[in-house]
Amino acid sequence: MRSSPFPDIVDDVTVRLIAAVVLLVSVATLASQQWWLLSLLAVDFTLRATLGPRRSPVARMVQSWVRPRVPAAPRPTAGPPKRFAAAIGAALTATATLAYGLSVATGAEGPLVAVIGITVVMVVFPALESLLGLCVGCVLFAQLMRIGVVPEEVCLDCADISRRAQALRTPVS
């Protein structure tokens, strides 16, 4: 049994709804040029990646208010790739937050260009997840497993899909 606070199995519907919230915040950030909003995403992604979705304000809001109103049945999916994707989101938004701070502090435009580029990525990646169910971080995670960088033990559910079928009979976080 893992000691991680991130669940082994998560509900893909909930994950896609969380991605929709990230998409909305990212689009609002890009449209309003209020780059400080990326710091809110950085904190949320960091909490989700390190302490699990129960500590993420966005995940908690979606689980409490949005998910109960969506009639779709739970769709279990492996948690470790979603955690990896959240870590990528944390790294990207933290980098954008630091670049924005550098741009404000120095008046340089270069860091602001990086912030805009990262924000575009933060629109594209959650759009793919929320609208198409394509998790870019999960694809990268699978490639890292395939080449042996991520050991199979990290995600037994990734290696054995039948474990997810069993999860259909148990509650999903």
Side-chain angles (χ1 to χ4, degrees):
M1 187 171 204
R2 294 182 324 124
S3 61
S4 167
F6 206 97
D8 289 332
I9 304 291
V10 295
D11 176 23
D12 190 57
V13 176
T14 302
V15 169
R16 289 177 73 175
L17 292 169
I18 292 167
V21 172
V22 172
L23 173 61
L24 291 173
V25 172
S26 297
V27 167
T29 300
L30 204 53
S32 68
Q33 298 182 6
Q34 296 297 310
W35 310 114
W36 62 270
L37 289 170
L38 296 172
S39 65
L40 300 177
L41 288 178
V43 169
D44 188 77
F45 274 122
T46 301
L47 289 170
R48 197 167 347 130
T50 58
L51 301 175
R54 294 184 195 277
R55 299 290 185 244
S56 156
V58 171
R60 290 186 66 148
M61 178 203 58
V62 167
Q63 289 170 338
S64 298
W65 299 340
V66 181
R67 182 60 175 112
R69 290 165 176 76
V70 176
R75 287 194 300 249
T77 192
K82 300 301 182 182
R83 182 182 194 185
F84 182 75
I88 291 172
L92 287 172
T93 53
T95 300
T97 299
L98 291 173
Y100 174 63
L102 183 62
S103 176
V104 169
T106 65
E109 289 188 22
L112 191 55
V113 172
V115 172
I116 294 167
I118 290 170
T119 307
V120 169
V121 170
M122 293 309 301
V123 168
V124 172
F125 284 12
L128 290 171
E129 172 83 51
S130 63
L131 301 173
L132 303 176
L134 174 63
C135 173
V136 175
C138 300
V139 171
L140 181 56
F141 185 89
Q143 292 298 326
L144 292 173
M145 278 188 75
R146 201 167 288 118
I147 63 173
V149 174
V150 175
E152 189 175 291
E153 300 79 44
V154 170
C155 186
L156 296 175
D157 295 301
C158 299
D160 181 6
I161 197 162
S162 66
R163 290 172 50 95
R164 276 188 251 159
Q166 182 181 1
L168 283 170
R169 296 183 287 278
T170 60
V172 177
S173 6

